[in-house]
Amino acid sequence: MKRLLTATAICGLLGTAAQAENIGVSMALFDDNFLTVLRNGMGDHAASLDGVTLQIEDAQNDVGKQLNQIQNFVASGVDAIIVNPVDTDATVAMSQAAADAGIPLVYVNREPVNVDDLPENQAFVASDEKESGTLETQEICRLLKEAGKTEAKAVVLMGELSNQAARMRTQDIKDVIATPECSFIQIVEEQTANWSRTQAADLMTNWITSGLEFDAVISNNDEMAIGAIQAMKSAGVSMDDVIVGGVDATQDALAAMEAGDLDVTVFQNAAGQGEGAVDAALKLARGEEVENKVYVPFELVTPANLAEYQARN
């Protein structure tokens, strides 16, 4: 992923190494478990670097507020900007604002709609969403087979539909189910719970109350999986009878797995993405070249390798 520095870039780096560097960071939402780990990863990494400071703002899931934050960063003359987009379809204006000001910009975690047409001095750091829902659903398929299922019904909990990750993870699920190996699975319901534990619990309660029958819960993230588990347990559903999967491998999810409630999750290295975003922003600010897409791999987490991940997110 890394390119060799040109002589010019090396000279530029030597000339600016002693200067303080300020990076403006706009997070989609502070009140989110995974994004908190991502934000802390950025902060911890920046604190370990000499002369690097972060100015981190909470967009509170408001696209207009996030664009204002970027404009304010531009006006204050930051050296680089990192954005965790509220709406991945609204990133063109953000890219334009930074490009017009000549300030490097790095998107982190959520893929911008213009990822293939980013201006010079802009990059994207995340994990490849083609892996996330694929790993999750393939393991759920394997577990259903292991349980002796020849026909199975699944419900799908989707994240915010304005978010590329939610759309991609849902498509991953459908792509896996379309394969001969997993075509015995039928999706009987799919609805958005907006990444929220509370909304997922309410949605699951409604499904159970309506008499919906299912063998698996395939969730776009761990928070919604946990909400579904809470609702099922409240309704007296045995967790031995349902396979539940999520994505992120948050601490709460790993605790649910240790308790025997969550069967599979996919580790998304939040801290690694945060570090990668800071490093990319600094390189661009120093005139170094950076790949426009930097991917941190997803990793499957099951009860068998749970212990390896309990201290990582």
Side-chain angles (χ1 to χ4, degrees):
M1 292 294 182
K2 297 178 181 177
R3 296 175 180 165
L4 293 177
L5 301 181
T6 63
T8 302
I10 293 173
C11 292
L13 176 57
L14 292 174
T16 60
Q19 298 177 6
E21 291 164 296
N22 186 28
I23 301 174
V25 181
S26 176
M27 296 295 299
L29 185 68
F30 277 13
D31 188 19
D32 177 280
N33 284 351
F34 178 82
L35 295 183
T36 296
V37 179
L38 174 66
R39 173 163 48 95
N40 290 341
M42 283 189 275
D44 292 344
H45 185 52
S48 72
L49 304 173
D50 290 337
V52 177
T53 59
L54 301 185
Q55 181 183 339
I56 306 179
E57 302 287 346
D58 182 3
Q60 300 176 334
N61 249 5
D62 184 321
V63 177
K65 183 185 289 288
Q66 185 158 67
L67 185 55
N68 286 339
Q69 289 170 351
I70 293 166
Q71 291 168 341
N72 289 338
F73 289 148
V74 168
S76 66
V78 296
D79 298 291
I81 297 170
I82 297 174
V83 179
N84 169 239
V86 170
D87 183 346
T88 53
D89 287 335
T91 53
V92 174
M94 299 175 192
S95 285
Q96 192 63 51
D100 288 347
I103 296 176
L105 184 148
V106 175
Y107 292 103
V108 64
N109 181 249
R110 298 178 175 181
E111 183 177 302
V113 68
N114 56 326
V115 68
D116 292 322
D117 301 296
L118 291 175
E120 291 291 324
N121 257 10
Q122 296 190 14
F124 170 55
V125 177
S127 297
D128 187 352
E129 292 298 349
K130 291 179 182 178
E131 299 174 2
S132 55
T134 299
L135 289 170
E136 174 192 18
T137 311
Q138 285 175 339
E139 178 65 9
I140 287 173
C141 174
R142 187 190 71 79
L143 290 171
L144 287 168
K145 284 183 175 179
E146 190 176 80
K149 299 286 185 182
T150 55
E151 293 184 359
K153 297 177 179 179
V155 295
V156 176
L157 291 165
M158 299 183 290
E160 294 172 7
L161 299 183
S162 64
N163 191 290
Q164 182 270 349
R167 298 194 297 267
M168 191 69 238
R169 291 176 190 181
T170 301
Q171 187 59 51
D172 293 341
I173 294 167
K174 294 177 180 180
D175 288 346
V176 171
I177 290 175
T179 64
E181 296 82 4
C182 302
S183 60
F184 68 95
I185 302 172
Q186 175 191 3
I187 297 174
V188 292
E189 270 287 3
E190 60 175 87
Q191 289 190 43
T192 180
N194 295 308
W195 307 119
S196 165
R197 185 183 303 195
T198 302
Q199 290 186 40
D202 291 342
L203 182 55
M204 178 57 70
T205 298
N206 291 339
W207 282 340
I208 293 171
T209 302
S210 71
L212 185 68
E213 296 181 354
F214 51 89
D215 304 289
V217 177
I218 313 177
S219 175
N220 283 173
N221 78 338
D222 288 336
E223 280 295 287
M224 294 187 295
I226 292 169
I229 288 168
Q230 291 172 339
M232 286 187 286
K233 293 176 78 170
S234 294
V237 175
S238 172
M239 298 313 300
D240 293 334
D241 296 335
V242 184
I243 304 297
V244 183
V247 176
D248 287 338
T250 62
Q251 285 299 309
D252 285 354
L254 298 180
M257 182 174 286
E258 190 169 36
D261 297 332
L262 185 70
D263 299 285
V264 55
T265 185
V266 181
F267 176 68
Q268 183 175 193
N269 192 339
Q273 289 183 15
E275 291 177 16
V278 170
D279 286 342
L282 289 172
K283 286 180 179 180
L284 290 173
R286 294 166 180 172
E288 301 177 32
E289 290 189 8
V290 175
E291 293 289 340
N292 68 343
K293 295 179 185 177
V294 180
Y295 287 125
V296 180
F298 280 106
E299 302 168 40
L300 183 68
V301 183
T302 68
N305 65 357
L306 170 63
E308 300 173 27
Y309 293 89
Q310 287 178 308
R312 294 186 64 184
N313 253 358

